[in-house]
Amino acid sequence: MFGDLFEEDFSFISNNHCGKGKKSKPRESEPPAPRDFTNLSGIKNQGGTCYLNSLLQTLLFTPEFREALFSLGPEELGTLDDSRKPDAKVRIIPLQLQRLFAQLLLLDQQAASTTDLTESFGWSSHEEMRQHDVQELNRILFSALETSLVGTSGHDLINRLYHGIVVNQIVCKECKNISERQEDFLDLTVAVKGVAGLEEALWNMYVEEEYFENDNLYRCGACDKLVEASKSAKLRKLPPFLTISLLRFNFDFEKCERYKETSCYTFPIQINLRPFCEQTEMDDSEYMYELFSVIIHKGGCYGGHYHVYIRDVDELGNWQLQEEEGGLMKEKVLRDTENAKETENPLAVLKGILSEEEAKQIAVDQLGQKLLEKKGVSWNKKYRKQYGALRKYLQNHPQIFQLSPDGNKVGLKETHKLLIKLDSHGQNLQSPSQKNDVQWNCEKNSSRPGAASAGCHWFDLNDSKVQPIKEKDIEKQFQGKESAYMLFYRKAQLKRPPEARGNPRYQIPEHLLHEMNAANTELQKKRAECDSANNGIDLHLHLSCCYKFHNGALHPALSWKESVVDLTIDRRKTLGDLRQAVFQMLESWEGDMVLSMAKPLPAGLHLYQVLDGDELTLDGIGLADGADIFVWNGKEVGGTKVLTGPEHEPLVLNVLRLAEHNEGSKGQHFSEAQRVFSCSTSLGQLHSALAPAGGIILRNGSGADTEAKNWEVFREEDMKETVRSVGLRDGCSVLILDSHDQSFVNVASGNLTAFTYDISWLQVKNFCGVEEEEKHVKITATIETVMSDIKMKAIRELQLEEELANESCLRPVSGNGKLLSPVPEDYTVKEAELKMGSLLGLCRGKAPTSTQLFLYFMVGSDQNCSPEMEIVVEETASVRECLSLMLEKSGLSGDSWHLRRLDWCYEAGEALSQENATLKELNVCRGDTLVITEGKLPEKGFLKIPIWWLKPSSHKKHGEYAQDQVNGITWKMEALQVSAAAAPAEPIHPGLDLCYAGRIEIAGEASLEDLKMQALTLPCCQEQVVPLPSFLRAWTMDSKRPGKLLRDNKRRLSDYRLGARVEICIEPLQEEENLGPQELLLRVQMGIPGERDYSDSRDLVWDISKECTAWALRQRVASHYCLPVDKIEIAKYFPERFEWLPISSWVRSGLTESHSCWRGACVGLGCRSLGIEFKENSKLFCFDFVQTQQISKRKRRKKQESLQSAPYHLKDGDIIGVKNLLLDDTKDFSTVRDDMGKEKQRQLALEKRKSRQERVQDPFFPEEKLPMKSRKPEVALSINVGVFR
């Protein structure tokens, strides 16, 4: 899809001509490549326009459409030259489409550009990079063309070629009255899911009838009563060209996501539509259609690539397969045979066998035996691995096979028997068993009209690439991720005139023929110029009279520019021609002339092989553009003999020596010099030249990087090796150590290495001073340097008192500026896991030893209430001893405390329950944070549960204390002590107060009734009068709100799996309650008419054992308020987002304007891929849901989705807002508090974004990783058209 994304657009017809320039040879100066052997032109992909390319090629190879478009002249459409005139009405879209078709037919280029066409659509570069649905484009492009051609002779072009009519009829069974409705179509959308192929889908749509009976009756207008009736649809008018869209994309309402249907879906090359038509008395040829285009989609539902298989009706292309003969051909035939066996559809085989049986049903075992007799192979051997057991396979296809109650016999359903038998008019419908045996090869199919003649050759047009294919290759697109997506059929009656065959110029207007002729002439001229430019090479001639040889290489006597002569010559000329050209340039040359290949090296110019063979071409001897050639006598330069060849290449080595006062900081105290040596120099000669007084040589394998650690000593046995053989190259560094420097060398395991320590630097910042500006210094160290030495160096560099060494430590500083745990002073840099450039803080306090732990701790998990403190303890200390030290440091006393770890969300997590275990045994590490939590840990098997009390709030008049009571929600927090449960910051439920009652300790084996009774003993609850535990409702606390409702008073607490950190909320009731598992408790509140507020909420118990759908909930709410169902609107409240989501029953009753929010949601989910269309100027949005869900019209109405799944996730305690449409017709469910809450969330988000930007801009802190981008929202496709009425 993105193959030509970075390819520059080139068109010699447009006004943008490319500049010339032979030196730089830019890519845009090259003309497009000519057409390949197929003689057909592809279309360039602008980045994401493969869907557009596929549709345009289909329209181009629809000759009737192409010629009808060409028949419209400039007198009707205008001209492109007039498009910039202000008053001119130029129909630019059909003009650009004409021009593109002419280029595709006549312009000699491999691929045409659609840039001018998409600009006429009003598309930006972003639109060209965004992929859309080709079915959607087909409808929008046809609509744009119809609008553009208004008032011209082609105003009915689309309707004339693609318009058809479907009639829907309902027949009353009593009075036989027929009620019918007519629908126009430009394309038919057919189901894929659960359907074997195109014929079955059309049968379900236009042959099968839907019956209204039993509880589902039809009101007849003639009888004026509910009666039994049948509903059916037929094709009333067939268009010349039938476009069929396959619903490959579907929506999974359980997972709330789209998916692509990749099951096998067959379609024929020829199809007889007589059985699906209303009028069947015409000649059979009136109903015959032939496939001529298949648009294919490869990929998933969120992206992919389109290409198209097209039948060349006019024989415009050259069809020949590039195949080899002999063994390769046999291998291909064998491979195709195996692939055909693998893709053979068992469904068609079984249906074929059952259709031949006279009995209605046969035994499943007998079916397996007949399969063995017919195919010569058993089910288990051929299909079991891929499809499973035969009986299970039959059960998985209930729409086709009918099994007996005991599952031992099987037969075809009546629908599929009718497909195989003759229809009522004597026409033989193609059976499913015959579908799989469609004669795909047109050479063998002599029964097809015109098949033996022209127009049976197929091509695969994939953007710029065009390839011939066989007709049977279409069969591979029946299923899989790469499968057919749109089908285009043409009437078999449509015949092409003989003069159109193989004639791309047929019916093209004269002005376009002249334009294309001129463009082809310009193309040929440009290609000739480009050919000359591409074959011309620039050679750099170096003259020996301008060079001198010293330091192992050739150097210009003057400057490089004055010593080089440039020569341009055709690479197809010979070496003799080059020598003659050089002689002509250098008239003063005397003696022999030798041409040698040269190469500039860091050391200078070096010579390689001599160019011999005057009869050879320059391209043949390997001369490339920009090659360097040295012109000399072949012996000497300036009286000095020159050694040539790769074995005498000069190398530049960096020679390093240690300077005085090095102090271990290698990178800053090296003396460096460059020396040149031949690559054939031995290491012994190198040693004598660089260290004549003795010493050792070390090499750095990292090139010129003197800071690297890969230093190695050249051993004595290496001295006979050459410089090249030991791996030294240009820029390599060698280190010379004299005898007094050899103490730096480490000998280990027989390998001599030096400077294996990673020499780096660290930053140390002073946190001990009281100055406002804290100084910091750089300290050099190796990975083996001890931290105590680094501290002493930092104290000296910072000019601090040396007595501070005993009262200070080094602490790493994190990226957000936090001081981390101190590093033990006996650690090395490597053990401390410090990297080069790490920032350390010099702080007061002793550093822990390697057997001690530095820990953070706080009292309670709220960092705003309790500051984070630090402590150093022995790793062998027990949890009890550690807790005692922490309590002492924090000034707390008593034994009602315990320790917990801080979890990843900075809350008190797992408790350290083994008080006698050591910190090391519990894997408490240096730098961990522990939380001192109030309360002793409960004994094993007991739970310590915080109890909250939820009770009705005190009554306030409406509007009073708006800041405390908005949306009917109030708050009251009492008796809050230091506890694991912090005060909630947001309201919980309307009309309810929440207060903290205390903690209880209860056994896990106790019942819910015991918990309620024990909760009543808490001081806050003793004032309440509760007759029985069944007058109390218990909730778990979730995100500081009542979460899960606990049912069944006799159930044990351990069965609820509450966990160690659970909190329970108790709500008193006015009457006894015992909810069943299929009863849902909701809080419903009625909106106050004329105001953005609600009355007090009420509890609503809803039985969901039968269904949990939107319609059922609307009925329950309506009966609760004694209102008609169609006079209320309901919505669920999401308090964490301050949003209301309307609950609609549009699946059963139709989608009204009040559900407009669902329209936006559905568009976001890609309704066009679901078969959903919105008609804007209507009060009802029409959903094509029957086809979307691939359910035939005889099926029962679709079961509605449960409200307990996405997007509502309805659960106990949810708030349901109710609008009485008799008194209040506003559609807005939100309240003043919702506006305030959203504004507060927006301000918090802005502050968070601002602080993140400040941290990113701060050079002291490293850049934070930004979150991944979410998937971009889908954008509707549109084409801008002018007004021509």
Side-chain angles (χ1 to χ4, degrees):
M1 183 176 111
F2 297 98
D4 300 324
L5 177 57
F6 301 104
E7 197 170 297
E8 290 289 333
D9 176 31
F10 183 91
S11 176
F12 292 104
I13 310 170
S14 66
N15 297 325
N16 298 325
H17 293 282
C18 304
K20 298 180 180 179
K22 186 174 64 176
K23 289 285 183 182
S24 58
K25 298 176 184 175
R27 181 190 177 104
E28 57 266 26
S29 67
E30 297 183 5
R35 302 190 181 205
D36 58 16
F37 70 96
T38 63
N39 198 34
L40 296 179
S41 176
I43 302 179
K44 293 180 183 178
N45 193 323
Q46 297 187 53
T49 56
C50 55
Y51 67 101
L52 173 65
N53 297 348
S54 300
L55 183 60
L56 290 175
Q57 292 283 19
T58 299
L59 296 178
L60 173 71
F61 283 89
T62 308
E64 291 77 7
F65 176 88
R66 180 181 73 224
E67 291 162 8
L69 186 66
F70 280 145
S71 67
L72 303 173
E75 63 279 359
E76 292 187 282
L77 302 181
T79 63
L80 293 175
D81 295 334
D82 297 336
S83 60
R84 297 184 180 274
K85 296 180 181 179
D87 298 330
K89 286 191 175 181
V90 179
R91 305 171 193 267
I92 191 167
I93 291 179
L95 281 174
Q96 291 291 3
L97 199 56
Q98 280 185 346
R99 194 159 168 266
L100 176 64
F101 282 0
Q103 292 177 17
L104 291 170
L105 291 169
L106 299 178
L107 200 58
D108 185 20
Q109 58 182 3
Q110 184 179 6
S113 171
T114 55
T115 304
D116 293 336
L117 180 64
T118 54
E119 285 181 358
S120 72
F121 291 167
W123 291 0
S124 63
S125 58
H126 298 289
E127 189 66 41
E128 293 157 357
M129 292 293 296
R130 186 182 291 117
Q131 190 181 100
H132 289 281
D133 184 71
V134 69
Q135 298 175 3
E136 179 186 18
L137 173 69
N138 183 57
R139 296 164 187 158
I140 292 176
L141 180 59
F142 279 6
S143 175
L145 283 173
E146 284 184 316
T147 306
S148 298
L149 297 178
V150 169
T152 69
S153 59
H155 65 92
D156 61 342
L157 186 152
I158 301 300
N159 275 341
R160 190 169 70 248
L161 298 180
Y162 297 96
H163 175 256
I165 298 176
V166 173
V167 59
N168 295 285
Q169 296 181 340
I170 300 179
V171 180
C172 175
K173 290 297 183 67
E174 294 192 8
C175 68
K176 306 302 179 182
N177 177 60
I178 300 176
S179 172
E180 69 175 35
R181 177 171 53 87
Q182 195 169 276
E183 294 180 1
D184 300 325
F185 70 87
L186 295 178
D187 65 295
L188 293 178
T189 305
V190 298
V192 173
K193 183 178 180 181
V195 183
L198 177 61
E199 292 99 328
E200 183 178 345
L202 293 175
W203 184 278
N204 292 339
M205 294 169 63
Y206 302 116
V207 176
E208 289 192 353
E209 295 183 343
E210 180 183 358
Y211 295 101
F212 297 95
E213 55 190 7
N214 300 329
D215 295 336
N216 183 25
L217 297 177
Y218 167 72
R219 177 170 290 279
C220 177
C223 302
D224 195 22
K225 63 178 180 179
L226 294 175
V227 297
E228 292 186 352
S230 62
K231 181 180 179 182
S232 63
K234 289 288 184 181
L235 296 172
R236 172 165 287 180
K237 176 193 170 186
L238 292 175
F241 295 92
L242 180 63
T243 304
I244 297 177
S245 300
L246 307 184
L247 282 174
R248 288 279 183 188
F249 298 116
N250 218 321
F251 191 80
D252 189 332
F253 283 90
E254 292 184 0
K255 298 181 180 179
C256 201
E257 65 182 13
R258 283 187 289 173
Y259 69 94
K260 181 178 179 181
E261 186 64 51
T262 58
S263 59
C264 182
Y265 190 90
T266 61
F267 48 88
I269 288 290
Q270 273 189 312
I271 187 169
N272 187 343
L273 298 181
R274 180 192 292 272
F276 316 117
C277 294
E278 182 184 32
Q279 301 173 1
T280 58
E281 66 278 0
M282 292 185 292
D283 185 71
D284 194 51
S285 60
E286 293 287 339
Y287 306 100
M288 293 301 297
Y289 280 78
E290 295 179 342
L291 184 71
F292 75 98
S293 177
V294 181
I295 293 182
I296 298 157
H297 181 266
K298 178 180 181 180
C301 56
Y302 293 108
H305 177 64
Y306 290 95
H307 63 107
V308 61
Y309 286 177
I310 288 181
R311 181 161 65 92
D312 186 8
V313 177
D314 280 350
E315 287 191 341
L316 301 178
N318 178 27
W319 188 89
Q320 57 181 9
L321 293 178
Q322 307 293 316
E323 294 179 343
E324 296 181 10
E325 299 179 357
L328 183 61
M329 196 68 179
K330 293 180 181 179
E331 181 182 347
K332 186 178 186 303
V333 171
L334 181 62
R335 186 169 64 251
D336 289 345
T337 304
E338 291 174 354
N339 291 340
K341 289 180 179 179
E342 290 176 1
T343 57
E344 188 174 3
N345 187 5
L347 199 63
V349 176
L350 296 176
K351 287 163 69 175
I353 295 173
L354 290 173
S355 65
E356 298 171 359
E357 293 297 319
E358 295 181 359
K360 290 185 177 181
Q361 290 188 331
I362 63 173
V364 175
D365 296 339
Q366 187 180 354
L367 177 62
Q369 182 64 29
K370 289 184 176 292
L371 174 67
L372 178 61
E373 294 172 359
K374 184 172 184 177
K375 293 295 181 181
V377 63
S378 67
W379 173 275
N380 289 342
K381 189 172 182 180
K382 187 174 181 65
Y383 299 112
R384 185 183 179 92
K385 184 176 181 181
Q386 184 175 359
Y387 299 100
L390 175 59
R391 197 181 305 273
K392 182 178 179 182
Y393 183 79
L394 297 172
Q395 292 172 351
N396 289 339
H397 293 79
Q399 72 275 19
I400 298 173
F401 304 109
Q402 186 170 5
L403 287 167
S404 61
D406 58 0
N408 292 328
K409 290 187 177 183
V410 64
L412 275 179
K413 286 198 171 180
E414 292 299 325
T415 300
H416 297 275
K417 288 183 180 179
L418 289 173
L419 277 171
I420 298 167
K421 295 181 180 179
L422 293 176
D423 69 353
S424 58
H425 294 275
Q427 298 301 322
N428 188 9
L429 293 178
Q430 191 178 35
S431 68
S433 63
Q434 294 168 335
K435 286 186 213 174
N436 201 50
D437 299 326
V438 174
Q439 293 180 343
W440 291 99
N441 197 335
C442 63
E443 287 83 355
K444 296 180 181 179
N445 189 359
S446 59
S447 64
R448 198 173 80 193
S453 58
C456 62
H457 292 153
W458 287 78
F459 292 89
D460 178 13
L461 292 97
N462 192 344
D463 289 341
S464 302
K465 190 177 180 181
V466 181
Q467 284 185 325
I469 60 170
K470 291 185 177 181
E471 199 173 64
K472 66 179 181 180
D473 290 337
I474 303 173
E475 194 173 357
K476 300 175 183 177
Q477 308 303 329
F478 284 170
Q479 62 187 345
K481 287 196 172 181
E482 183 177 9
S483 51
Y485 190 56
M486 285 188 77
L487 308 176
F488 296 83
Y489 286 86
R490 56 183 288 128
K491 270 194 174 182
Q493 279 186 336
L494 297 175
K495 303 296 181 183
R496 299 293 297 145
E499 57 270 22
R501 184 172 299 171
N503 182 12
R505 306 171 69 88
Y506 183 70
Q507 296 290 335
I508 297 182
E510 286 296 324
H511 69 280
L512 286 176
L513 288 175
H514 293 318
E515 185 179 353
M516 295 304 115
N517 289 337
N520 278 324
T521 303
E522 184 70 15
L523 270 174
Q524 293 175 4
K525 180 181 176 182
K526 288 288 183 180
R527 288 194 179 114
E529 293 176 356
C530 185
D531 178 71
S532 176
N534 287 339
N535 287 296
I537 56 175
D538 296 329
L539 303 179
H540 307 302
L541 303 179
H542 301 263
L543 308 180
S544 61
C545 58
C546 300
Y547 278 82
K548 58 183 179 180
F549 185 84
H550 69 89
N551 203 16
L554 291 166
H555 299 271
L558 301 172
S559 65
W560 282 98
K561 186 175 182 180
E562 295 172 339
S563 306
V564 179
V565 178
D566 290 333
L567 173 66
T568 302
I569 190 171
D570 196 313
R571 69 173 73 241
R572 293 168 289 191
K573 291 191 175 182
T574 64
L575 182 59
D577 296 332
L578 174 61
R579 198 184 306 276
Q580 185 66 28
V582 175
F583 266 119
Q584 292 175 0
M585 291 179 62
L586 306 176
E587 296 178 354
S588 60
W589 186 272
E590 296 180 359
D592 296 334
M593 176 184 289
V594 176
L595 304 180
S596 296
M597 292 292 297
K599 182 180 178 182
L601 299 174
L605 191 70
H606 183 67
L607 306 184
Y608 293 86
Q609 74 271 19
V610 175
L611 300 178
D612 290 325
D614 286 356
E615 72 282 357
L616 300 176
T617 64
L618 301 182
D619 193 36
I621 63 177
L623 274 185
D625 189 36
D628 293 277
I629 296 178
F630 194 74
V631 184
W632 63 316
N633 58 13
K635 298 178 182 178
E636 59 184 14
V637 174
T640 305
K641 185 178 180 181
V642 178
L643 299 176
T644 63
E647 65 275 8
H648 298 293
E649 270 188 10
L651 298 179
V652 177
L653 300 179
N654 295 321
V655 181
L656 308 176
R657 298 180 186 273
L658 285 178
E660 295 182 359
H661 311 294
N662 187 27
E663 296 184 0
S665 183
K666 179 186 66 170
Q668 300 174 357
H669 299 280
F670 273 124
S671 63
E672 182 174 350
Q674 288 189 338
R675 296 284 299 273
V676 178
F677 295 92
S678 172
C679 62
S680 59
T681 303
S682 67
L683 289 183
Q685 294 171 333
L686 184 69
H687 184 274
S688 300
L690 298 179
I696 59 174
I697 301 179
L698 304 93
R699 71 168 176 180
N700 185 352
S702 302
D705 185 10
T706 58
E707 295 296 328
K709 60 185 180 180
N710 191 22
W711 289 100
E712 295 180 1
V713 175
F714 286 123
R715 295 168 293 183
E716 190 65 32
E717 55 268 27
D718 295 332
M719 291 302 158
K720 294 182 181 180
E721 299 286 338
T722 63
V723 171
R724 169 168 286 177
S725 64
V726 296
L728 289 178
R729 299 290 183 267
D730 275 314
C732 284
S733 299
V734 294
L735 180 62
I736 309 301
L737 292 182
D738 297 330
S739 56
H740 62 276
D741 293 328
Q742 295 183 23
S743 58
F744 289 96
V745 179
N746 178 33
V747 182
S749 302
N751 295 323
L752 296 176
T753 58
F755 290 95
T756 56
Y757 307 145
D758 185 8
I759 310 247
S760 61
W761 54 270
L762 303 171
Q763 293 186 89
V764 179
K765 191 171 185 178
N766 180 21
F767 286 95
C768 296
V770 294
E771 299 90 350
E772 293 182 1
E773 295 185 2
E774 298 162 338
K775 298 180 180 179
H776 69 277
V777 294
K778 283 186 177 180
I779 303 296
T780 57
T782 72
I783 60 174
E784 298 296 331
T785 304
V786 182
M787 298 304 298
S788 58
D789 295 340
I790 295 176
K791 184 177 73 172
M792 291 304 299
K793 287 184 181 180
I795 290 175
R796 288 197 295 268
E797 291 285 342
L798 292 168
Q799 299 179 357
L800 301 176
E801 298 178 358
E802 294 203 2
E803 290 77 7
L804 189 63
N806 298 326
E807 300 295 333
S808 62
C809 61
L810 292 176
R811 301 179 63 174
V813 182
S814 67
N816 57 9
K818 179 182 177 181
L819 285 171
L820 303 180
S821 59
V823 182
E825 294 195 350
D826 54 350
Y827 273 24
T828 62
V829 173
K830 182 178 181 180
E831 292 171 336
E833 299 180 355
L834 297 176
K835 298 179 181 179
M836 187 174 98
S838 296
L839 179 62
L840 300 172
L842 181 65
C843 307
R844 292 191 179 274
K846 289 188 176 182
T849 64
S850 57
T851 61
Q852 292 179 324
L853 295 176
F854 178 90
L855 302 174
Y856 300 98
F857 72 96
M858 63 177 69
V859 180
S861 57
D862 190 352
Q863 297 184 7
N864 297 324
C865 300
S866 173
E868 194 174 62
M869 293 175 278
E870 304 166 351
I871 193 172
V872 177
V873 296
E874 294 289 337
E875 63 181 8
T876 56
S878 65
V879 173
R880 182 181 287 106
E881 293 170 347
C882 180
L883 175 62
S884 177
L885 293 173
M886 291 179 176
L887 291 174
E888 181 181 349
K889 189 164 185 176
S890 57
L892 299 174
S893 59
D895 57 354
S896 59
W897 305 92
H898 66 276
L899 286 179
R900 292 181 178 269
R901 298 180 191 267
L902 192 69
D903 62 13
W904 62 274
C905 55
Y906 300 98
E907 294 182 355
E910 176 193 0
L912 302 181
S913 56
Q914 303 179 34
E915 294 186 341
N916 295 323
T918 64
L919 299 177
K920 184 176 182 180
E921 291 172 346
L922 296 178
N923 294 323
V924 177
C925 304
R926 178 166 58 96
D928 284 355
T929 303
L930 301 180
V931 181
I932 300 177
T933 308
E934 186 182 17
K936 295 190 67 174
L937 286 172
E939 298 179 8
K940 189 174 182 180
F942 279 76
L943 298 173
K944 201 160 191 177
I945 303 176
I947 300 296
W948 297 81
W949 192 259
L950 191 67
K951 59 184 180 180
S953 61
S954 57
H955 179 70
K956 291 184 181 181
K957 293 182 180 180
H958 173 62
E960 185 180 359
Y961 305 117
Q963 68 275 18
D964 296 329
Q965 181 178 15
V966 183
N967 197 16
I969 302 175
T970 61
W971 275 91
K972 181 179 178 183
M973 301 300 297
E974 299 176 358
L976 278 181
Q977 304 294 331
V978 179
S979 65
E986 296 179 359
I988 301 301
H989 277 281
L992 298 174
D993 285 343
L994 184 69
C995 64
Y996 180 69
R999 291 175 181 269
I1000 63 172
E1001 189 169 329
I1002 190 170
E1005 297 300 315
S1007 65
L1008 178 62
E1009 185 178 29
D1010 297 334
L1011 182 142
K1012 293 178 179 180
M1013 293 297 294
Q1014 193 165 339
L1016 289 174
T1017 62
L1018 295 173
C1020 182
C1021 309
Q1022 289 179 354
E1023 300 175 359
Q1024 305 296 327
V1025 179
V1026 180
L1028 293 170
S1030 55
F1031 282 79
L1032 292 177
R1033 186 183 290 156
W1035 306 78
T1036 61
M1037 293 290 287
D1038 183 13
S1039 300
K1040 308 300 183 286
R1041 294 184 177 92
K1044 178 182 177 183
L1045 179 62
L1046 302 181
R1047 292 173 165 82
D1048 190 359
N1049 284 331
K1050 302 300 182 183
R1051 192 175 181 183
R1052 294 181 303 177
L1053 297 179
S1054 58
D1055 295 338
Y1056 291 108
R1057 298 183 179 180
L1058 299 175
R1061 299 173 56 196
V1062 69
E1063 299 177 37
I1064 298 295
C1065 175
I1066 301 295
E1067 178 186 359
L1069 305 174
Q1070 297 297 323
E1071 56 185 19
E1072 193 172 6
E1073 179 182 82
N1074 189 14
L1075 295 177
Q1078 294 297 322
E1079 289 180 317
L1080 201 62
L1081 176 68
L1082 302 175
R1083 315 271 193 185
V1084 293
Q1085 51 187 27
M1086 177 64 73
I1088 301 175
E1091 301 183 24
R1092 297 180 63 197
D1093 206 346
Y1094 292 87
S1095 58
D1096 292 340
S1097 65
R1098 303 181 184 179
D1099 290 346
L1100 174 69
V1101 178
W1102 178 30
D1103 185 2
I1104 59 173
S1105 58
K1106 293 184 179 179
E1107 58 178 345
C1108 182
T1109 60
W1111 180 257
L1113 178 59
R1114 288 170 64 88
Q1115 286 184 316
R1116 180 69 184 91
V1117 174
S1119 64
H1120 181 76
Y1121 284 104
C1122 300
L1123 291 172
V1125 178
D1126 58 343
K1127 297 302 179 183
I1128 65 168
E1129 288 293 336
I1130 58 176
K1132 178 189 169 180
Y1133 185 56
F1134 292 86
E1136 67 278 1
R1137 303 198 305 262
F1138 300 97
E1139 292 180 354
W1140 296 83
L1141 181 59
I1143 300 177
S1144 170
S1145 58
W1146 48 266
V1147 174
R1148 181 173 295 195
S1149 61
L1151 182 66
T1152 64
E1153 285 182 319
S1154 62
H1155 305 104
S1156 59
C1157 64
W1158 262 102
R1159 176 183 180 273
C1162 289
V1163 171
L1165 293 173
C1167 288
R1168 293 171 184 82
S1169 297
L1170 293 174
I1172 300 175
E1173 295 182 5
F1174 296 103
K1175 298 181 181 179
E1176 294 291 349
N1177 298 323
S1178 174
K1179 288 193 174 183
L1180 290 179
F1181 295 112
C1182 299
F1183 282 68
D1184 191 7
F1185 240 75
V1186 174
Q1187 292 180 351
T1188 303
Q1189 297 303 319
Q1190 291 86 32
I1191 297 178
S1192 66
K1193 296 182 180 181
R1194 62 181 170 79
K1195 301 291 184 180
R1196 297 186 300 270
R1197 64 182 57 171
K1198 180 182 179 293
K1199 182 180 178 181
Q1200 300 185 51
E1201 299 298 328
S1202 171
L1203 292 180
Q1204 291 181 308
S1205 59
Y1208 299 103
H1209 299 288
L1210 205 63
K1211 61 184 184 301
D1212 290 310
D1214 280 347
I1215 302 172
I1216 303 296
V1218 184
K1219 290 281 186 178
N1220 185 353
L1221 299 183
L1222 296 173
L1223 303 176
D1224 186 1
D1225 59 351
T1226 61
K1227 308 299 188 295
D1228 185 12
F1229 282 87
S1230 64
T1231 64
V1232 178
R1233 175 177 175 76
D1234 297 331
D1235 297 341
M1236 296 167 56
K1238 287 183 178 180
E1239 178 63 23
K1240 184 178 179 181
Q1241 287 182 341
R1242 191 181 69 83
Q1243 293 294 337
L1244 291 174
L1246 289 175
E1247 292 175 4
K1248 186 176 181 180
R1249 188 180 301 114
K1250 184 178 179 181
S1251 63
R1252 186 188 299 119
Q1253 291 174 351
E1254 291 175 353
R1255 287 200 301 271
V1256 170
Q1257 294 172 359
D1258 192 344
F1260 183 75
F1261 298 113
E1263 186 175 355
E1264 296 183 357
K1265 290 185 179 179
L1266 298 177
M1268 292 180 64
K1269 292 183 179 180
S1270 58
R1271 184 182 290 120
K1272 293 182 179 179
E1274 295 187 8
V1275 180
L1277 180 65
S1278 63
I1279 296 178
N1280 299 326
V1281 188
V1283 179
F1284 302 104
R1285 298 187 184 276

